[in-house]
Amino acid sequence: QVQLVESGGGLVQAGGSLRLSCAASGTFFSINAMGWYRQAPGKQRELVATITSSGSTTLLDSRFSISTDIAKKTVYLQMNSLKPEDTAVYYCNAIVLRSPVIGGGDYWGQGTQVTVSS
């Protein structure tokens, strides 16, 4: 199976910054896209940032940025000027090609808590 392990969450003050990391491991041929989603209490899970293998990105907010380290199979989410409204569990997502024959799959990490205090 494909494993996604998030790290970097924690408690920060409003206006502070945080960088989340997600490392992929397991058996797969390539990663087509990786991204971050978040879910706050009482809300649906929403997209925060995604990046494709070609480098195209989608961002929820200009305060956030996403990048990858291909060699480490890791995606990063840089969050600046954090607000209490950003408090949520942040989940890593990856769309991978298992092999050209087997096909692809959609995988999720277990989440990391981000809490922004006012």
Side-chain angles (χ1 to χ4, degrees):
Q1 64 185 70
V2 177
Q3 301 279 357
L4 301 176
V5 180
E6 302 104 330
S7 63
L11 174 65
V12 297
Q13 296 276 37
S17 298
L18 204 62
R19 188 173 83 154
L20 307 183
S21 300
C22 174
S25 63
T27 302
F28 51 86
F29 185 78
S30 63
I31 300 175
N32 294 332
M34 297 189 75
W36 292 91
Y37 296 72
R38 70 184 184 187
Q39 187 166 20
K43 294 186 176 181
Q44 298 292 106
R45 188 172 299 188
E46 66 178 346
L47 182 150
V48 177
T50 62
I51 185 167
T52 69
S53 59
S54 66
S56 298
T57 61
T58 299
L59 301 173
L60 173 68
D61 195 282
S62 62
R63 297 175 295 124
F64 306 150
S65 62
I66 188 169
S67 61
T68 60
D69 185 323
I70 301 300
K72 295 181 179 179
K73 300 183 181 68
T74 300
V75 63
Y76 305 94
L77 177 67
Q78 179 69 44
M79 301 186 289
N80 300 319
S81 302
L82 285 164
K83 305 174 182 178
E85 306 93 273
D86 296 318
T87 296
V89 177
Y90 285 70
Y91 296 91
C92 179
N93 170 255
I95 299 174
V96 307
L97 179 66
R98 296 295 304 276
S99 80
V101 175
I102 295 174
D106 192 351
Y107 299 90
W108 294 88
Q110 293 188 342
T112 184
Q113 177 71 47
V114 171
T115 302
V116 184
S117 62
S118 59

